[in-house]
Amino acid sequence: MRLWSYNESKCIFAHSTSPARCLRYTHPSPLHLLSQCRRIGISSTPKSPPREFPISGFDTLNSSQIIEEETLPSYSKEHYYPARLGEVLNSQYQIITKLGFGSSSTICNNNRYLTLKIHIPTNHPPPEIQLSQYLSTLPSSPTGQKYIRLALDSFEIPGPYGLHPCILYEPAGIDIRDYIHCLEGDALPENLLRVTLRFMLIALDYLHEAKVIHTDIQPRNILLGINDTSILAEMEEDEISNPAPRKQLADRTIFVTRAMPLTSGEPVLADLGEARLAKGKQTGLIMPSVYRAPEVMLGMYWDSKVDIWGLGQTAWTLFEQGHLFTTHDLETDDHQARRFAEMISLLGPPPVEFLRRSEESLKFWDEDGKWKGCVEIPEQSLESRESRLQPDDQMLFLRFLRKTLFWLPEERPTAKELLMDEWLRGADY
């Protein structure tokens, strides 16, 4: 049985300068700058010698043009390592092409190709280094670990404004948000949604058994795997023969992103940068606001069930061409009231038992759990919002979704229990 298929894709690989490409990198990840690099022979273990990269034959952009990482609201050149194509890092890794950018780190791939994330300067090592080391020592399920993108190694490199932590990973393809833009309707078909969620639940079961909470389950952290690494060598050769445009400044060069080709591997869960090693209930603000669980919004204790809530919302985003809750900003009490009103309309009112766990709930409900009416509850239901499925299939899908979105965290199933869900199992079982 083939669990992961891309036969419905409309994309073909094209060079980043081609106007015909359909991979969308106009909205890059807020956490990563991507580039590709290769292992070379300067270290004690002989590999291949460094390549010579073109010093001409590329388009030079006007220095006043704002591009790439400069477009981010929080951009500061002091945060970025001024990486250069052809540069050798840690006497072992040669950067060969740029795949993306973001606000706190950089990524590269190497021959054996790997991925290198270069963080902004910090006095503390990124937590995913310690978490990956911890997970790699556990006698846990190798199947579950297969679908988690763990750090393989780490080192530091000096930049103009401090030391940049670097983390090495196995390479992976585009995130699933970019993949669905290549499909009819900009959404996953039901069969691919099922198998994607199965892989993510296997990954979450592995993490939760190891007492690790991911806290950042969302589409951009689901990456396509790479079965055929020859595409990475092709990207390297393409950078030599068709060098990326760039903007050359006095103290750095900003290269234009090269699109990652579409790949056909099984998806993996990425980015343990916000993960927590937790053997009990936790406190503190976590999760992207659009996916934030109610117990987190109300300042309650939380546990691994926040990942189940995030998975449910991710399922909706991938399938329904939009977010389940339309209030994205949770910065004010009014914004939170709007989100809670949406939750009530779609999930029903919260149990009084849940509300009594936090005094914050008294801003929105009275002591008996009655909504104070600070924001009108929308006239809608999950059934009215779901538009792609026939009644029987819709019933099963929404039953699965409701399991992930119980107000009471303890009523949400574990990842292992969700794997047995009737809709998720589908006709394949």
Side-chain angles (χ1 to χ4, degrees):
M1 176 178 61
R2 184 175 179 81
L3 294 180
W4 189 249
S5 170
Y6 298 97
N7 294 333
E8 299 176 65
S9 169
K10 299 185 296 184
C11 273
I12 58 172
F13 171 57
H15 300 320
S16 63
T17 53
S18 168
R21 80 175 188 271
C22 69
L23 299 186
R24 302 179 186 176
Y25 282 94
T26 54
H27 302 288
S29 160
L31 290 178
H32 304 116
L33 173 71
L34 301 166
S35 57
Q36 188 170 333
C37 56
R38 69 200 271 280
R39 189 77 175 264
I40 62 173
I42 301 177
S43 65
S44 58
T45 303
K47 299 289 180 182
S48 56
R51 300 285 303 267
E52 293 291 333
F53 278 73
I55 58 174
S56 63
F58 45 78
D59 292 334
T60 302
L61 305 179
N62 190 298
S63 61
S64 63
Q65 185 176 349
I66 303 300
I67 65 168
E68 302 284 296
E69 53 265 31
E70 295 177 309
T71 62
L72 297 172
S74 60
Y75 172 76
S76 171
K77 70 175 185 179
E78 289 81 7
H79 290 164
Y80 282 80
Y81 178 77
R84 305 181 311 277
L85 297 188
E87 179 180 5
V88 175
L89 302 178
N90 200 41
S91 301
Q92 295 182 74
Y93 305 99
Q94 185 177 32
I95 299 174
I96 60 175
T97 195
K98 178 180 179 181
L99 301 178
F101 59 91
S103 62
S104 70
S105 55
T106 307
I107 297 188
C108 308
N109 283 311
N110 102 55
N111 191 22
R112 168 186 173 202
Y113 291 95
L114 295 175
T115 295
L116 175 66
K117 182 192 292 185
I118 305 178
H119 283 259
I120 64 173
T122 177
N123 294 325
H124 307 286
E128 58 190 308
I129 296 175
Q130 288 79 12
L131 280 173
S132 293
Q133 291 172 344
Y134 161 72
L135 289 169
S136 66
T137 63
L138 296 180
S140 301
S141 164
T143 302
Q145 190 176 101
K146 176 183 177 181
Y147 301 114
I148 298 288
R149 197 187 198 199
L150 297 179
L152 301 177
D153 197 3
S154 64
F155 57 89
E156 291 182 327
I157 54 174
Y161 303 99
L163 288 175
H164 296 261
C166 301
I167 307 177
L168 288 163
Y169 308 88
E170 291 291 347
I174 61 174
D175 72 49
I176 204 164
R177 300 171 308 169
D178 285 322
Y179 173 62
I180 64 177
H181 294 331
C182 301
L183 300 177
E184 188 71 33
D186 278 4
L188 276 186
E190 186 183 12
N191 64 322
L192 289 190
L193 177 66
R194 283 194 185 102
V195 294
T196 301
L197 295 178
R198 288 176 201 156
F199 287 124
M200 293 305 99
L201 285 168
I202 292 170
L204 284 179
D205 178 54
Y206 166 74
L207 287 179
H208 294 171
E209 286 291 321
K211 309 301 181 185
V212 173
I213 308 171
H214 189 281
T215 82
D216 196 11
I217 304 299
Q218 58 170 305
R220 73 173 180 84
N221 286 333
I222 301 174
L223 306 182
L224 306 191
I226 298 178
N227 284 336
D228 182 4
T229 57
S230 67
I231 63 169
L232 304 176
E234 291 170 6
M235 294 182 73
E236 177 181 355
E237 295 307 317
D238 195 39
E239 191 61 64
I240 300 291
S241 61
N242 181 28
R246 62 206 65 184
K247 183 171 81 169
Q248 295 178 317
L249 302 171
D251 58 348
R252 67 196 187 283
T253 299
I254 301 178
F255 297 87
V256 172
T257 293
R258 183 176 296 275
M260 185 74 180
L262 196 64
T263 58
S264 58
E266 296 170 340
V268 295
L269 180 60
D271 200 348
L272 293 175
E274 300 297 327
R276 307 285 180 87
L277 178 58
K279 298 186 178 180
K281 294 185 180 295
Q282 304 292 302
T283 58
L285 190 64
I286 56 165
M287 309 179 73
S289 60
V290 74
Y291 294 121
R292 192 164 294 154
E295 62 267 33
V296 178
M297 290 176 61
L298 291 171
M300 299 176 184
Y301 291 114
W302 49 264
D303 59 17
S304 61
K305 295 299 181 67
V306 297
D307 287 342
I308 302 301
W309 178 278
L311 183 87
Q313 289 202 73
T314 294
W316 183 275
T317 299
L318 295 176
F319 192 58
E320 299 292 343
Q321 304 164 287
H323 295 302
L324 180 61
F325 303 118
T326 59
T327 304
H328 294 186
D329 189 354
L330 299 178
E331 295 300 317
T332 68
D333 287 348
D334 180 66
H335 292 150
Q336 293 194 58
R338 293 180 186 278
R339 171 67 63 80
F340 285 131
E342 288 188 275
M343 289 182 181
I344 293 169
S345 68
L346 296 175
L347 309 176
V352 176
E353 173 192 352
F354 174 76
L355 298 177
R356 289 177 178 169
R357 296 176 183 179
S358 170
E359 291 186 0
E360 288 289 309
S361 66
L362 294 174
K363 294 179 181 179
F364 313 104
W365 291 269
D366 66 21
E367 292 183 353
D368 297 320
K370 183 179 179 181
W371 181 245
K372 288 185 175 180
C374 43
V375 170
E376 186 176 353
I377 297 173
E379 291 289 335
Q380 62 175 346
S381 65
L382 287 175
E383 286 76 10
S384 69
R385 289 278 303 279
E386 202 292 308
S387 60
R388 299 188 62 196
L389 297 173
Q390 296 301 313
D392 288 347
D393 292 331
Q394 183 191 77
M395 178 190 67
L396 292 176
F397 172 61
L398 295 184
R399 182 187 298 168
F400 167 84
L401 198 71
R402 286 188 170 100
K403 289 179 183 179
T404 69
L405 300 175
F406 277 117
W407 288 92
L408 284 164
E410 60 268 29
E411 291 187 0
R412 297 172 208 155
T414 64
K416 190 185 298 291
E417 290 167 343
L418 267 179
L419 280 166
M420 301 305 294
D421 177 81
E422 182 180 0
W423 171 79
L424 193 73
R425 289 160 63 90
D428 295 335
Y429 290 86

